[in-house]
Amino acid sequence: MQELIFATKNAGKVREFREFLAPLGIQVRDLTELEDLPEIVENGQTFEENALIKAQTIAEFLNQPVVAEDSGLVIDALNGEPGVHSARYAADHDDAANNAKVLERLTGFAPEKRTANFQTVIVALKPDGNKLVAKGSVHGQILDHLQGDNGFGYDPLFFYPPYNKTMAEMTAAEKNEISHRGQALKQFMRDFNAWWEA
């Protein structure tokens, strides 16, 4: 079976990727399954720069194809925060602390001023530099309280008006249909074979 390394330790993201790539007979392995990896310094100013840094660091080290993803929440009233710092906004990968900080920063903002979007950029990279980039975004509003038990990250705060529910209240199928990562994955899958076989 062919193998693609996903430069992440996020189990939720890995699960979504595996669902998309399993029908192609491609095994996705993540960084929790590998040892002695170099440190990834995510110092990019954009989601695409950070995704490329992750992919490049691991592809060069392992000398095999790597896919990486960077995504985050962009809140209009907070001038784009948390943005590229979404996973580390209040504390490193601490969903509860990050959500609490967003709620605190948005205290007093009317619902119509709490507009936001989730953005994802996927970068797949081969050791020879052959690159595939896919992007997705979804627009919604930030609630003033957590709602729903599914999903991860900021999903319980992110309300999607067309479904009248938060990302954390959606089924996996519903979320994949409209989510930023779902959109980016669809674009990624459209272009994947050409990149994989080049």
Side-chain angles (χ1 to χ4, degrees), residues 30-104:
D30 65 67
L31 300 186
T32 64
E33 302 172 68
L34 304 167
E35 294 179 356
D36 302 320
L37 295 170
E39 182 186 0
I40 298 172
V41 182
E42 291 182 53
N43 55 5
Q45 299 302 303
T46 65
F47 296 121
E48 185 169 347
E49 286 175 12
N50 276 340
L52 181 58
I53 288 166
K54 290 185 248 193
Q56 234 163 5
T57 302
I58 303 303
E60 287 172 5
F61 180 75
L62 296 175
N63 195 36
Q64 67 183 92
V66 172
V67 63
E69 179 262 14
D70 201 50
S71 58
L73 179 64
V74 176
I75 300 172
D76 300 316
L78 301 182
N79 299 313
E81 288 184 17
V84 293
H85 305 292
S86 291
R88 307 174 291 281
Y89 194 41
D92 194 23
H93 292 84
D94 183 332
D95 291 349
N98 291 338
N99 281 318
K101 183 172 180 179
V102 164
L103 288 173
E104 181 192 340

Side-chain angles (χ1 to χ4, degrees), residues 6 13 16-17 46-52 54 67-74 83-84 86 117-123 132-139 152 155 167 175 178-188:
F6 188 4
K13 293 180 182 181
E16 289 175 1
F17 258 83
T46 65
F47 296 121
E48 185 169 347
E49 286 175 12
N50 276 340
L52 181 58
K54 290 185 248 193
V67 63
E69 179 262 14
D70 201 50
S71 58
L73 179 64
V74 176
V84 293
S86 291
N117 63 85
F118 270 128
Q119 296 181 22
T120 290
V121 180
I122 298 169
V123 174
L132 166 60
V133 178
K135 300 178 181 181
S137 65
V138 60
H139 296 267
F152 55 91
D155 287 353
M167 291 279 218
K175 185 179 170 186
I178 58 93
S179 79
H180 52 307
R181 194 167 299 108
Q183 289 179 39
L185 273 166
K186 283 175 198 156
Q187 185 188 336
F188 175 74

